[in-house]
Amino acid sequence: MRVRNVAIASAVAIGAVVMTSLPATAADTTTTFTVTATSGLAISAPDSAALSSAAPGGTASGSLGNVTVNDQRSQLNSTWTATVALSTAFTTGTGTASETISGGQVTYTPGNPVAETNPPHTPGTVGTLTAQRNAYVRASGDGANAVTWNPSVSVAVPAGNVSGDYSGVITHSVS
């Protein structure tokens, strides 16, 4: 009886192995595809913005409108820095000293993101446009990403400046 039980157990075990074995033949297909970058790294900003009026010794202020960095390079470690600068001082008339306002009088505030794709994105610090400064930074992360912010600007009008319509150029760039 014992031999019979051993024979039955052996037959069941062999059957289980045969039933759970892979088929006698198999074929693998290595499948590939390409993820392509749709474009590069770009920044966009409004063509123009109007600040509030201010008297000499006062402050003109307002927002510039939405600025967007769109990074579609789709890379590992897709980092970038967006900068802002006063590339042309604010002037009126012929641009004499009393008709010019320099970057030291212009304060840029990047503010929080209005829209983000695949963060993190970090706003730069508030400060004057005496020199180029960071507006937004992506210091880490992979793949495509984008961020939009609506910066504000305030211009401290020197008491010695004359009245007039002042115009200057604030430039955003990214690399």
Side-chain angles (χ1 to χ4, degrees), residues 16-113:
V17 168
V18 169
M19 293 172 83
T20 60
S21 297
L22 292 176
T25 63
D28 294 335
T29 302
T30 301
T31 307
T32 63
F33 65 96
T34 302
V35 175
T36 58
T38 56
S39 63
L41 177 62
I43 191 166
S44 62
D47 291 332
S48 63
L51 304 179
S52 66
S53 296
T59 301
S61 62
S63 71
L64 295 181
N66 287 347
V67 177
T68 300
V69 170
N70 192 358
D71 182 359
Q72 297 300 308
R73 298 172 296 171
S74 304
Q75 299 174 340
L76 287 174
N77 196 27
S78 55
T79 62
W80 49 259
T81 300
T83 58
V84 61
L86 182 64
S87 53
T88 304
F90 287 97
T91 61
T92 192
T94 60
T96 65
S98 295
E99 298 171 311
T100 301
I101 302 173
S102 69
Q105 304 301 106
V106 181
T107 300
Y108 180 89
T109 305
N112 293 321

Side-chain angles (χ1 to χ4, degrees), residues 98-134:
S98 295
E99 298 171 311
T100 301
I101 302 173
S102 69
Q105 304 301 106
V106 181
T107 300
Y108 180 89
T109 305
N112 293 321
V114 174
E116 273 186 294
T117 303
N118 192 17
H121 303 100
T122 306
T125 58
V126 174
T128 65
L129 296 181
T130 303
Q132 178 177 286
R133 64 182 309 104
N134 289 349

